[in-house]
Every structure is written in C-alpha cells, then in structure tokens.
Amino acid sequence: MIPMQTSIPILNSSIDFEFAVGLLHGAAVVDEYRTLADLEGVFDDEDLRSSMDPTILVYSVSCVFPVKNGKEGGLFFGTTSIRPGTVGDEYFMTKGHFHSKIDTAEFYWGIKGEGVLLLMNEDRTIRAERMVPGSLHYIPGRTAHRTVNVGEEPMIFGACWPSDAGHNYEKIRQEGFSARVRRGPHGPEVVEV
Ligand code: PAN
Ligand code: ZN
C-alpha cells in the first residue's frame, strides 16, 4: 500500500505529514519529550516513580504552530506518542490539562495502539473514551483531558486545537484527575479516586 502523505506549506517551509503513522517532518516541526523526570506527582506511587530511571521516555509530542501562540482564529496541530509502560500498575500517560482559555475545545483521533482518554469536567465528574486507530474524540471546552497508553506498543494520536487555547497544567498538578487507569487482572481498569 502506498502511504498517504500530505504536504502542508507553512511558514515558508514545507511540512510532510504521514497520516497513517502520525509522523510530521519539516524544519517547522517542534518536538517535545517527557521523561519520568518531568512527571513528578503525576502517578499515584510517587516514591516508585522517583526511584525509577529518570531518563525513561514516557511520551513525545510533535507540533506545528502556523501562527503565533495566543493568536485568535488559528489552529495548532500535533501528534503525541505515549510509550508502553507502567509505574507500578498505573499505565504511562500524559500530564493532562485544562485549556487556559477554558472554553476552547479540541479534536483528538486515534492513529496507532490502544488508549484511554480521560475527560473531566470542572466539577470533577469524569468519563473515559477508548482510543483505537480511527477513533475520533471531541473534547468540549471546560474539560480537562489526559491520555493513557493501555497497550503493549506506542499509542499515537493526533490533536488539533485553537491557537489561543493555552495549557493550564497547574490545576491538574494541584488537584489531579478524579480517576486513574490501572492494569487489572483482566485488563485496564478505570478506577475513580
Ligand atoms: C495535546 C497535548 C499532548 C501532551 O497536544 O498537549 O497530548 O499532553 P500534555 O500537554 O497534557 O502533556 C493537547 O491536548 N493540546 O492541547
Ligand atoms: Zn489540549
């Protein structure tokens, strides 16, 4: 099969997007990496996390920012790859955030692997959506979002969000999510806390 590839001319340089695998290539692509060292307080068993190899990669994000951060009316685009793994029985996951401009929404879609998307309202009611290749997820405004890799391979998903959304990590750092995703005897379990 010929891989689907799209070229987006952007900021006077071209970006190639390999849709089937979510890979972005080009001078304007910004890559960020989150290792266990960057995830203090994210997992329930903080003592275990801090005793593990801090260089272990948990997830990476490749983004394109066609307009200035904070500008109204533009869109940002990124793919996230969460490696397989656990801290104790809790699966590797993203930090998670509300958007700073809290009413702004976002689309996610599954590209590879198996995941769980946790969606939490401001009143801390939570729901979970299963992420698989081809699944589509609308994250409404005022909703914190975190993704969890519950499979044995990297879990890759795409995201598109408004360029003025911003990321509020602080509220989640202080209050956490009201559910955790753990490896249970019969597979992943979403456990309310
Ligand atoms: C995504 C996330 C990405 C990494 O692009 O930023 O998956 O998750 P954290 O930002 O929570 O570390 C997104 O939701 N953008 O708004
Ligand atoms: Zn977001």
Side-chain angles (χ1 to χ4, degrees):
M1 199 171 87
I2 301 167
M4 178 78 83
Q5 193 153 331
T6 318
S7 189
I8 314 165
I10 193 179
L11 302 171
N12 301 321
S13 70
S14 164
I15 285 168
D16 289 322
F17 180 45
E18 292 181 68
F19 198 91
V21 286
L23 287 174
L24 288 161
H25 314 275
V29 176
V30 178
D31 292 311
E32 288 188 357
Y33 299 89
R34 299 271 179 262
T35 67
L36 274 178
D38 300 313
L39 300 177
E40 188 182 346
V42 167
F43 296 92
D44 198 22
D45 194 340
E46 173 56 20
D47 288 345
L48 178 58
R49 182 212 61 91
S50 62
S51 72
M52 291 168 71
D53 177 353
T55 66
I56 290 173
L57 181 64
V58 179
Y59 62 99
S60 56
V61 191
S62 292
C63 292
V64 287
F65 304 113
V67 297
K68 216 167 159 252
N69 189 18
K71 183 178 162 43
E72 269 183 41
L75 292 171
F76 291 157
F77 181 90
T79 56
T80 302
S81 173
I82 310 176
R83 300 305 186 270
T86 56
V87 174
D89 62 2
E90 196 175 7
Y91 294 101
F92 280 4
M93 59 181 158
T94 60
K95 288 203 283 189
H97 56 269
F98 285 94
H99 288 160
S100 305
K101 201 179 242 186
I102 195 153
D103 279 326
T104 54
E106 181 161 6
F107 269 116
Y108 277 5
W109 59 98
I111 296 173
K112 253 175 107 67
E114 276 179 82
V116 170
L117 170 60
L118 290 177
L119 297 164
M120 184 178 75
N121 296 342
E122 288 167 288
D123 67 5
R124 298 185 63 76
T125 45
I126 200 151
R127 66 183 198 281
E129 294 183 4
R130 198 163 162 257
M131 296 182 84
V132 292
S135 62
L136 183 65
H137 310 270
Y138 181 69
I139 301 165
R142 316 195 87 87
T143 306
H145 37 293
R146 162 178 281 168
T147 42
V148 185
N149 183 352
V150 298
E152 304 297 327
E153 57 174 330
M155 200 282 277
I156 303 175
F157 65 95
C160 186
W161 67 101
S163 48
D164 59 342
H167 294 118
N168 175 357
Y169 293 105
E170 192 51 26
K171 193 169 165 62
I172 293 302
R173 198 184 66 75
Q174 288 177 8
E175 299 168 14
F177 275 71
S178 52
R180 293 190 174 273
V181 186
R182 299 186 184 280
R183 176 176 283 152
H186 308 293
E189 293 171 357
V190 179
V191 185
E192 292 205 49
V193 292

